[in-house]
Amino acid sequence: MTFEAILPELKAGKRAVRTGWEGTELFVKLQTATTFNGDPLNPYFLIKTADEAYSMWSPTDCDILATDWQLVD
């Protein structure tokens, strides 16, 4: 799948990964708008890896242009 195809799925709360990633990346998810100390937070992407907790993630040009995205459970 392309990033354009996977983005609506991420917005719907699903998780996705690139099959070309050969590291410990388990999935990417979209954190919806929320608040922190009463202030609004805009939506942002999180990545979950096997060896760490969640981290903030921004897609690279390669990620956006890739065609190896797939949904994960």
Side-chain angles (χ1 to χ4, degrees):
M1 296 176 88
T2 64
F3 190 75
E4 292 88 350
I6 212 77
L7 186 56
E9 304 292 342
L10 290 169
K11 288 181 176 181
K14 296 183 181 173
R15 302 170 182 179
V17 68
R18 287 192 52 203
T19 59
W21 284 341
E22 295 181 9
T24 61
E25 298 88 353
L26 297 179
F27 59 82
V28 170
K29 67 176 281 184
L30 180 66
Q31 175 60 50
T32 57
T34 186
T35 61
F36 178 75
N37 289 337
D39 294 322
L41 287 177
N42 292 325
Y44 54 93
F45 290 109
L46 293 172
I47 189 166
K48 175 71 169 107
T49 60
D51 57 351
E52 293 186 28
Y54 288 97
S55 296
M56 290 184 71
W57 177 80
S58 294
T60 65
D61 291 345
C62 291
D63 293 324
I64 293 169
L65 297 172
T67 58
D68 63 346
W69 285 96
Q70 69 179 24
L71 295 173
V72 295
D73 291 328

